[in-house]
Amino acid sequence: MSEAAMPLWEVFIRARNGLSHKHAGSIHATDAEMALHAARDVYTRRGEGQSIWVVRSSDIVASDPVDKDMMFEPTASKIYRHPTFYEIPDDVGNM
Amino acid sequence: MYSQGLIGADGQTHEDAAFLAAFQARIDAEQKIEPNDPMPEGYRKTLVRQISQHAHSEIIGMQPEGNWISRAPSLRRKAALLAKVQDEGGHGLYLYSAAETLGVSREEMTEQLLSGAAKYSSIFNYPALTWADIGAIGWLVDGAAIMNQIVLCRCSYGPYARAMIRICKEESFHQRQGYEIMIALCNGSKEQKELAQDALNRFWWPSLMMFGPPEGDSVHSNQSMIWKIKRFSNDDLRDKFINASVPQAEKLGLTIPDSDLKWNEAKQGYDHGEIDWDEFWRVVKGDGICNRERLKNRRRVDRDGAWVREAAMAHAQKRRARMASARIAAE
């Protein structure tokens, strides 16, 4: 059997208003409309969502894990970006 | 049960020692491995095999129960069974997606299932002959599956572990609906109770076989443990399942069909009789009661659905072309 491969879509679901969409998984579909239907059937059988996004997997641009250190390590040394870096006398109270 | 997917797995890998040591350090630190991370080829191959066979099991597993949807004894039972079978289909899809993150395509996996090259869990090659079997399948088969899947939630491969968490959340209803069917039958007429006992008699041993044979010193199994794809031995999980199931059978007033089953005070667990591994291997190698029927059905469904997939692809292509020409006209 030599069928053409059906495009892959990533599914994002907003559990309820006030929360952001979160990656739930992926599905195969020929177009956006079918992708939404399939995502609804596969990922929201128990009221998991109020809203669904589907994005073609091939349209997602991801950072390379090989570049992980270069990308993210520098932030580890910038501890002055965190509130705990600064010393405030206890008697000033919560700040 | 899904460790059945590891039977014959080739965990061989050819990376250099430094690479393997760095990878093992991540595993030992309980870091999850994600799709694009560097990983040994043996790790990837072992996972593709196990996850795809797990997915195939969910898909083929729809058949024995699907057989009873139209004959469920009440609307309540029918709605529940329909939802359960739909869940199994969904679980298959979550798992195929997880396997696809390792670079194998859905089409390849489907092809492997249809050609008979890939296996699925031995249990689905047993027929569901009576309504009581639907009870026994939910109670025992899903019970055994949950026992396996709960530990897989901590598997070192992120996408597999996440799919398992989702599946476990959904599956507890499966076991409860099965056990409820058993309760109803056991509280019913003498004939109904006999039906329940008969289903237990036929499903007990095949359920124990779901965990796979004792590994002994199997190299592949040890490698899977070291890579934390697997966390407990087949025998350990099987014992856990027996210890949980015996009191449940007693509550129903049913007898486990094993005359050697007895409580062992020292190990605080049950000792069980000899499992017929010859039967297990016969079923795994294709000679179970339903092996041929299951694959024949699956191939027919795939063939019958081919025109739908083709039409959907053609429709999507046509719409894209139309939108493109409309855009050019507008410019």
Side-chain angles (χ1 to χ4, degrees), chain B residues 229-257:
Chain B
I229 292 172
K230 179 175 175 161
R231 301 231 174 205
F232 289 93
S233 77
N234 295 350
D235 278 335
D236 284 350
L237 285 173
R238 183 169 18 247
D239 284 345
K240 254 176 96 161
F241 172 71
I242 294 172
N243 294 340
S245 302
V246 172
Q248 291 165 356
E250 282 167 1
K251 281 243 154 47
L252 293 169
L254 297 178
T255 312
I256 303 263

PDB file of all heavy atoms in Angstrom, chain B residues 229-257:
ATOM      1  N   ILE B 229      13.097   2.124  30.945  1.00  0.00           N
ATOM      2  CA  ILE B 229      11.920   2.007  30.087  1.00  0.00           C
ATOM      3  C   ILE B 229      10.928   1.161  30.885  1.00  0.00           C
ATOM      4  O   ILE B 229       9.728   1.361  30.852  1.00  0.00           O
ATOM      5  CB  ILE B 229      12.299   1.314  28.753  1.00  0.00           C
ATOM      6  CG1 ILE B 229      13.204   2.231  27.941  1.00  0.00           C
ATOM      7  CG2 ILE B 229      11.049   0.916  27.969  1.00  0.00           C
ATOM      8  CD1 ILE B 229      13.790   1.583  26.692  1.00  0.00           C
ATOM      9  N   LYS B 230      11.480   0.238  31.630  1.00  0.00           N
ATOM     10  CA  LYS B 230      10.712  -0.692  32.410  1.00  0.00           C
ATOM     11  C   LYS B 230      11.207  -0.603  33.850  1.00  0.00           C
ATOM     12  O   LYS B 230      12.400  -0.369  34.058  1.00  0.00           O
ATOM     13  CB  LYS B 230      11.037  -2.063  31.798  1.00  0.00           C
ATOM     14  CG  LYS B 230      10.426  -3.222  32.399  1.00  0.00           C
ATOM     15  CD  LYS B 230      10.789  -4.445  31.565  1.00  0.00           C
ATOM     16  CE  LYS B 230      10.222  -5.600  32.337  1.00  0.00           C
ATOM     17  NZ  LYS B 230      10.069  -6.774  31.566  1.00  0.00           N
ATOM     18  N   ARG B 231      10.314  -0.733  34.832  1.00  0.00           N
ATOM     19  CA  ARG B 231      10.765  -0.518  36.213  1.00  0.00           C
ATOM     20  C   ARG B 231      10.610  -1.731  37.121  1.00  0.00           C
ATOM     21  O   ARG B 231      11.192  -1.772  38.192  1.00  0.00           O
ATOM     22  CB  ARG B 231      10.003   0.654  36.831  1.00  0.00           C
ATOM     23  CG  ARG B 231      10.211   1.935  36.055  1.00  0.00           C
ATOM     24  CD  ARG B 231      10.620   3.036  36.982  1.00  0.00           C
ATOM     25  NE  ARG B 231      10.958   4.236  36.248  1.00  0.00           N
ATOM     26  CZ  ARG B 231      11.777   5.168  36.716  1.00  0.00           C
ATOM     27  NH1 ARG B 231      12.322   5.029  37.893  1.00  0.00           N
ATOM     28  NH2 ARG B 231      12.049   6.220  36.012  1.00  0.00           N
ATOM     29  N   PHE B 232       9.762  -2.672  36.715  1.00  0.00           N
ATOM     30  CA  PHE B 232       9.560  -3.871  37.532  1.00  0.00           C
ATOM     31  C   PHE B 232       9.648  -5.099  36.644  1.00  0.00           C
ATOM     32  O   PHE B 232       9.359  -5.022  35.445  1.00  0.00           O
ATOM     33  CB  PHE B 232       8.185  -3.858  38.195  1.00  0.00           C
ATOM     34  CG  PHE B 232       8.042  -2.844  39.285  1.00  0.00           C
ATOM     35  CD1 PHE B 232       7.541  -1.581  39.009  1.00  0.00           C
ATOM     36  CD2 PHE B 232       8.418  -3.141  40.592  1.00  0.00           C
ATOM     37  CE1 PHE B 232       7.415  -0.626  40.001  1.00  0.00           C
ATOM     38  CE2 PHE B 232       8.293  -2.196  41.591  1.00  0.00           C
ATOM     39  CZ  PHE B 232       7.794  -0.929  41.302  1.00  0.00           C
ATOM     40  N   SER B 233       9.990  -6.232  37.218  1.00  0.00           N
ATOM     41  CA  SER B 233      10.047  -7.462  36.424  1.00  0.00           C
ATOM     42  C   SER B 233       8.631  -7.949  36.148  1.00  0.00           C
ATOM     43  O   SER B 233       7.683  -7.592  36.840  1.00  0.00           O
ATOM     44  CB  SER B 233      10.838  -8.542  37.169  1.00  0.00           C
ATOM     45  OG  SER B 233      10.031  -9.086  38.188  1.00  0.00           O
ATOM     46  N   ASN B 234       8.490  -8.776  35.135  1.00  0.00           N
ATOM     47  CA  ASN B 234       7.185  -9.335  34.770  1.00  0.00           C
ATOM     48  C   ASN B 234       6.565 -10.074  35.956  1.00  0.00           C
ATOM     49  O   ASN B 234       5.371  -9.958  36.223  1.00  0.00           O
ATOM     50  CB  ASN B 234       7.330 -10.290  33.584  1.00  0.00           C
ATOM     51  CG  ASN B 234       7.780  -9.560  32.327  1.00  0.00           C
ATOM     52  OD1 ASN B 234       7.797  -8.327  32.292  1.00  0.00           O
ATOM     53  ND2 ASN B 234       8.145 -10.312  31.302  1.00  0.00           N
ATOM     54  N   ASP B 235       7.389 -10.867  36.661  1.00  0.00           N
ATOM     55  CA  ASP B 235       6.869 -11.648  37.787  1.00  0.00           C
ATOM     56  C   ASP B 235       6.400 -10.754  38.935  1.00  0.00           C
ATOM     57  O   ASP B 235       5.388 -11.036  39.571  1.00  0.00           O
ATOM     58  CB  ASP B 235       7.938 -12.627  38.297  1.00  0.00           C
ATOM     59  CG  ASP B 235       7.977 -13.899  37.441  1.00  0.00           C
ATOM     60  OD1 ASP B 235       6.954 -14.225  36.817  1.00  0.00           O
ATOM     61  OD2 ASP B 235       9.037 -14.545  37.410  1.00  0.00           O
ATOM     62  N   ASP B 236       7.118  -9.677  39.179  1.00  0.00           N
ATOM     63  CA  ASP B 236       6.726  -8.768  40.270  1.00  0.00           C
ATOM     64  C   ASP B 236       5.350  -8.164  39.997  1.00  0.00           C
ATOM     65  O   ASP B 236       4.489  -8.096  40.881  1.00  0.00           O
ATOM     66  CB  ASP B 236       7.736  -7.623  40.426  1.00  0.00           C
ATOM     67  CG  ASP B 236       9.005  -8.093  41.123  1.00  0.00           C
ATOM     68  OD1 ASP B 236       8.993  -9.230  41.641  1.00  0.00           O
ATOM     69  OD2 ASP B 236       9.988  -7.332  41.134  1.00  0.00           O
ATOM     70  N   LEU B 237       5.150  -7.729  38.747  1.00  0.00           N
ATOM     71  CA  LEU B 237       3.865  -7.113  38.404  1.00  0.00           C
ATOM     72  C   LEU B 237       2.747  -8.149  38.422  1.00  0.00           C
ATOM     73  O   LEU B 237       1.638  -7.879  38.873  1.00  0.00           O
ATOM     74  CB  LEU B 237       3.940  -6.453  37.026  1.00  0.00           C
ATOM     75  CG  LEU B 237       4.722  -5.135  36.980  1.00  0.00           C
ATOM     76  CD1 LEU B 237       4.879  -4.650  35.555  1.00  0.00           C
ATOM     77  CD2 LEU B 237       4.020  -4.064  37.811  1.00  0.00           C
ATOM     78  N   ARG B 238       3.075  -9.355  37.962  1.00  0.00           N
ATOM     79  CA  ARG B 238       2.071 -10.427  37.953  1.00  0.00           C
ATOM     80  C   ARG B 238       1.621 -10.736  39.393  1.00  0.00           C
ATOM     81  O   ARG B 238       0.440 -10.870  39.668  1.00  0.00           O
ATOM     82  CB  ARG B 238       2.651 -11.682  37.285  1.00  0.00           C
ATOM     83  CG  ARG B 238       1.640 -12.812  37.170  1.00  0.00           C
ATOM     84  CD  ARG B 238       2.100 -13.969  36.270  1.00  0.00           C
ATOM     85  NE  ARG B 238       3.514 -14.022  36.019  1.00  0.00           N
ATOM     86  CZ  ARG B 238       4.062 -13.804  34.831  1.00  0.00           C
ATOM     87  NH1 ARG B 238       3.319 -13.542  33.799  1.00  0.00           N
ATOM     88  NH2 ARG B 238       5.378 -13.862  34.682  1.00  0.00           N
ATOM     89  N   ASP B 239       2.603 -10.815  40.297  1.00  0.00           N
ATOM     90  CA  ASP B 239       2.268 -11.091  41.703  1.00  0.00           C
ATOM     91  C   ASP B 239       1.377  -9.993  42.280  1.00  0.00           C
ATOM     92  O   ASP B 239       0.426 -10.265  43.013  1.00  0.00           O
ATOM     93  CB  ASP B 239       3.543 -11.216  42.548  1.00  0.00           C
ATOM     94  CG  ASP B 239       4.234 -12.562  42.312  1.00  0.00           C
ATOM     95  OD1 ASP B 239       3.584 -13.459  41.738  1.00  0.00           O
ATOM     96  OD2 ASP B 239       5.414 -12.697  42.688  1.00  0.00           O
ATOM     97  N   LYS B 240       1.707  -8.764  41.946  1.00  0.00           N
ATOM     98  CA  LYS B 240       0.899  -7.633  42.431  1.00  0.00           C
ATOM     99  C   LYS B 240      -0.544  -7.772  41.952  1.00  0.00           C
ATOM    100  O   LYS B 240      -1.498  -7.509  42.690  1.00  0.00           O
ATOM    101  CB  LYS B 240       1.470  -6.315  41.857  1.00  0.00           C
ATOM    102  CG  LYS B 240       2.210  -5.487  42.876  1.00  0.00           C
ATOM    103  CD  LYS B 240       2.811  -4.265  42.223  1.00  0.00           C
ATOM    104  CE  LYS B 240       1.886  -3.071  42.411  1.00  0.00           C
ATOM    105  NZ  LYS B 240       2.569  -1.792  42.201  1.00  0.00           N
ATOM    106  N   PHE B 241      -0.673  -8.163  40.699  1.00  0.00           N
ATOM    107  CA  PHE B 241      -1.999  -8.318  40.096  1.00  0.00           C
ATOM    108  C   PHE B 241      -2.778  -9.440  40.798  1.00  0.00           C
ATOM    109  O   PHE B 241      -3.955  -9.285  41.131  1.00  0.00           O
ATOM    110  CB  PHE B 241      -1.850  -8.621  38.600  1.00  0.00           C
ATOM    111  CG  PHE B 241      -3.142  -8.979  37.920  1.00  0.00           C
ATOM    112  CD1 PHE B 241      -4.115  -8.015  37.697  1.00  0.00           C
ATOM    113  CD2 PHE B 241      -3.398 -10.275  37.503  1.00  0.00           C
ATOM    114  CE1 PHE B 241      -5.320  -8.330  37.077  1.00  0.00           C
ATOM    115  CE2 PHE B 241      -4.591 -10.610  36.876  1.00  0.00           C
ATOM    116  CZ  PHE B 241      -5.555  -9.636  36.664  1.00  0.00           C
ATOM    117  N   ILE B 242      -2.114 -10.557  41.045  1.00  0.00           N
ATOM    118  CA  ILE B 242      -2.792 -11.681  41.698  1.00  0.00           C
ATOM    119  C   ILE B 242      -3.232 -11.265  43.106  1.00  0.00           C
ATOM    120  O   ILE B 242      -4.377 -11.494  43.513  1.00  0.00           O
ATOM    121  CB  ILE B 242      -1.865 -12.919  41.765  1.00  0.00           C
ATOM    122  CG1 ILE B 242      -1.598 -13.429  40.342  1.00  0.00           C
ATOM    123  CG2 ILE B 242      -2.465 -14.013  42.629  1.00  0.00           C
ATOM    124  CD1 ILE B 242      -0.560 -14.524  40.243  1.00  0.00           C
ATOM    125  N   ASN B 243      -2.326 -10.624  43.834  1.00  0.00           N
ATOM    126  CA  ASN B 243      -2.665 -10.218  45.200  1.00  0.00           C
ATOM    127  C   ASN B 243      -3.854  -9.259  45.243  1.00  0.00           C
ATOM    128  O   ASN B 243      -4.642  -9.277  46.188  1.00  0.00           O
ATOM    129  CB  ASN B 243      -1.455  -9.574  45.883  1.00  0.00           C
ATOM    130  CG  ASN B 243      -0.335 -10.579  46.092  1.00  0.00           C
ATOM    131  OD1 ASN B 243      -0.565 -11.792  46.071  1.00  0.00           O
ATOM    132  ND2 ASN B 243       0.879 -10.098  46.274  1.00  0.00           N
ATOM    133  N   ALA B 244      -3.984  -8.433  44.212  1.00  0.00           N
ATOM    134  CA  ALA B 244      -5.104  -7.492  44.178  1.00  0.00           C
ATOM    135  C   ALA B 244      -6.391  -8.193  43.741  1.00  0.00           C
ATOM    136  O   ALA B 244      -7.488  -7.854  44.204  1.00  0.00           O
ATOM    137  CB  ALA B 244      -4.791  -6.338  43.218  1.00  0.00           C
ATOM    138  N   SER B 245      -6.272  -9.185  42.855  1.00  0.00           N
ATOM    139  CA  SER B 245      -7.464  -9.779  42.248  1.00  0.00           C
ATOM    140  C   SER B 245      -8.140 -10.849  43.108  1.00  0.00           C
ATOM    141  O   SER B 245      -9.359 -11.018  43.027  1.00  0.00           O
ATOM    142  CB  SER B 245      -7.122 -10.408  40.887  1.00  0.00           C
ATOM    143  OG  SER B 245      -6.571  -9.436  40.042  1.00  0.00           O
ATOM    144  N   VAL B 246      -7.344 -11.580  43.896  1.00  0.00           N
ATOM    145  CA  VAL B 246      -7.934 -12.681  44.665  1.00  0.00           C
ATOM    146  C   VAL B 246      -9.047 -12.196  45.612  1.00  0.00           C
ATOM    147  O   VAL B 246     -10.159 -12.730  45.585  1.00  0.00           O
ATOM    148  CB  VAL B 246      -6.846 -13.490  45.413  1.00  0.00           C
ATOM    149  CG1 VAL B 246      -7.471 -14.506  46.353  1.00  0.00           C
ATOM    150  CG2 VAL B 246      -5.937 -14.198  44.409  1.00  0.00           C
ATOM    151  N   PRO B 247      -8.792 -11.154  46.409  1.00  0.00           N
ATOM    152  CA  PRO B 247      -9.876 -10.677  47.284  1.00  0.00           C
ATOM    153  C   PRO B 247     -11.091 -10.152  46.499  1.00  0.00           C
ATOM    154  O   PRO B 247     -12.228 -10.290  46.957  1.00  0.00           O
ATOM    155  CB  PRO B 247      -9.246  -9.528  48.075  1.00  0.00           C
ATOM    156  CG  PRO B 247      -7.810  -9.514  47.769  1.00  0.00           C
ATOM    157  CD  PRO B 247      -7.538 -10.417  46.632  1.00  0.00           C
ATOM    158  N   GLN B 248     -10.829  -9.611  45.318  1.00  0.00           N
ATOM    159  CA  GLN B 248     -11.945  -9.121  44.495  1.00  0.00           C
ATOM    160  C   GLN B 248     -12.808 -10.288  44.026  1.00  0.00           C
ATOM    161  O   GLN B 248     -14.048 -10.192  43.987  1.00  0.00           O
ATOM    162  CB  GLN B 248     -11.411  -8.327  43.286  1.00  0.00           C
ATOM    163  CG  GLN B 248     -10.762  -7.007  43.687  1.00  0.00           C
ATOM    164  CD  GLN B 248      -9.910  -6.385  42.587  1.00  0.00           C
ATOM    165  OE1 GLN B 248      -9.720  -6.971  41.519  1.00  0.00           O
ATOM    166  NE2 GLN B 248      -9.375  -5.206  42.836  1.00  0.00           N
ATOM    167  N   ALA B 249     -12.174 -11.408  43.694  1.00  0.00           N
ATOM    168  CA  ALA B 249     -12.927 -12.607  43.285  1.00  0.00           C
ATOM    169  C   ALA B 249     -13.725 -13.140  44.473  1.00  0.00           C
ATOM    170  O   ALA B 249     -14.880 -13.557  44.337  1.00  0.00           O
ATOM    171  CB  ALA B 249     -11.974 -13.673  42.764  1.00  0.00           C
ATOM    172  N   GLU B 250     -13.093 -13.113  45.662  1.00  0.00           N
ATOM    173  CA  GLU B 250     -13.789 -13.590  46.866  1.00  0.00           C
ATOM    174  C   GLU B 250     -15.036 -12.765  47.138  1.00  0.00           C
ATOM    175  O   GLU B 250     -16.094 -13.306  47.470  1.00  0.00           O
ATOM    176  CB  GLU B 250     -12.839 -13.540  48.073  1.00  0.00           C
ATOM    177  CG  GLU B 250     -11.860 -14.702  48.078  1.00  0.00           C
ATOM    178  CD  GLU B 250     -10.703 -14.514  49.063  1.00  0.00           C
ATOM    179  OE1 GLU B 250     -10.670 -13.467  49.763  1.00  0.00           O
ATOM    180  OE2 GLU B 250      -9.837 -15.409  49.113  1.00  0.00           O
ATOM    181  N   LYS B 251     -14.931 -11.450  46.983  1.00  0.00           N
ATOM    182  CA  LYS B 251     -16.089 -10.570  47.177  1.00  0.00           C
ATOM    183  C   LYS B 251     -17.231 -10.946  46.249  1.00  0.00           C
ATOM    184  O   LYS B 251     -18.400 -10.822  46.599  1.00  0.00           O
ATOM    185  CB  LYS B 251     -15.704  -9.103  46.899  1.00  0.00           C
ATOM    186  CG  LYS B 251     -14.976  -8.427  48.024  1.00  0.00           C
ATOM    187  CD  LYS B 251     -15.795  -7.253  48.584  1.00  0.00           C
ATOM    188  CE  LYS B 251     -15.461  -6.961  50.039  1.00  0.00           C
ATOM    189  NZ  LYS B 251     -14.013  -6.910  50.309  1.00  0.00           N
ATOM    190  N   LEU B 252     -16.878 -11.380  45.044  1.00  0.00           N
ATOM    191  CA  LEU B 252     -17.903 -11.765  44.073  1.00  0.00           C
ATOM    192  C   LEU B 252     -18.463 -13.156  44.367  1.00  0.00           C
ATOM    193  O   LEU B 252     -19.480 -13.551  43.815  1.00  0.00           O
ATOM    194  CB  LEU B 252     -17.321 -11.767  42.648  1.00  0.00           C
ATOM    195  CG  LEU B 252     -16.909 -10.422  42.047  1.00  0.00           C
ATOM    196  CD1 LEU B 252     -16.109 -10.625  40.763  1.00  0.00           C
ATOM    197  CD2 LEU B 252     -18.140  -9.557  41.762  1.00  0.00           C
ATOM    198  N   GLY B 253     -17.748 -13.909  45.234  1.00  0.00           N
ATOM    199  CA  GLY B 253     -18.156 -15.288  45.498  1.00  0.00           C
ATOM    200  C   GLY B 253     -17.753 -16.223  44.375  1.00  0.00           C
ATOM    201  O   GLY B 253     -18.347 -17.273  44.174  1.00  0.00           O
ATOM    202  N   LEU B 254     -16.706 -15.833  43.639  1.00  0.00           N
ATOM    203  CA  LEU B 254     -16.231 -16.673  42.534  1.00  0.00           C
ATOM    204  C   LEU B 254     -14.929 -17.367  42.941  1.00  0.00           C
ATOM    205  O   LEU B 254     -14.232 -16.914  43.845  1.00  0.00           O
ATOM    206  CB  LEU B 254     -15.987 -15.821  41.288  1.00  0.00           C
ATOM    207  CG  LEU B 254     -17.209 -15.129  40.686  1.00  0.00           C
ATOM    208  CD1 LEU B 254     -16.805 -14.287  39.474  1.00  0.00           C
ATOM    209  CD2 LEU B 254     -18.286 -16.138  40.295  1.00  0.00           C
ATOM    210  N   THR B 255     -14.620 -18.457  42.252  1.00  0.00           N
ATOM    211  CA  THR B 255     -13.425 -19.227  42.566  1.00  0.00           C
ATOM    212  C   THR B 255     -12.385 -19.042  41.475  1.00  0.00           C
ATOM    213  O   THR B 255     -12.666 -19.250  40.294  1.00  0.00           O
ATOM    214  CB  THR B 255     -13.762 -20.735  42.645  1.00  0.00           C
ATOM    215  OG1 THR B 255     -14.929 -20.867  43.455  1.00  0.00           O
ATOM    216  CG2 THR B 255     -12.622 -21.529  43.228  1.00  0.00           C
ATOM    217  N   ILE B 256     -11.169 -18.651  41.873  1.00  0.00           N
ATOM    218  CA  ILE B 256     -10.066 -18.529  40.907  1.00  0.00           C
ATOM    219  C   ILE B 256      -9.708 -19.942  40.441  1.00  0.00           C
ATOM    220  O   ILE B 256      -9.515 -20.831  41.280  1.00  0.00           O
ATOM    221  CB  ILE B 256      -8.845 -17.869  41.580  1.00  0.00           C
ATOM    222  CG1 ILE B 256      -9.223 -16.502  42.153  1.00  0.00           C
ATOM    223  CG2 ILE B 256      -7.656 -17.821  40.627  1.00  0.00           C
ATOM    224  CD1 ILE B 256      -8.921 -15.305  41.344  1.00  0.00           C
ATOM    225  N   PRO B 257      -9.625 -20.165  39.143  1.00  0.00           N
ATOM    226  CA  PRO B 257      -9.404 -21.526  38.629  1.00  0.00           C
ATOM    227  C   PRO B 257      -7.954 -21.983  38.757  1.00  0.00           C
ATOM    228  O   PRO B 257      -7.312 -22.289  37.765  1.00  0.00           O
ATOM    229  CB  PRO B 257      -9.816 -21.402  37.153  1.00  0.00           C
ATOM    230  CG  PRO B 257      -9.499 -19.987  36.805  1.00  0.00           C
ATOM    231  CD  PRO B 257      -9.756 -19.182  38.044  1.00  0.00           C
TER     232      PRO B 257
END
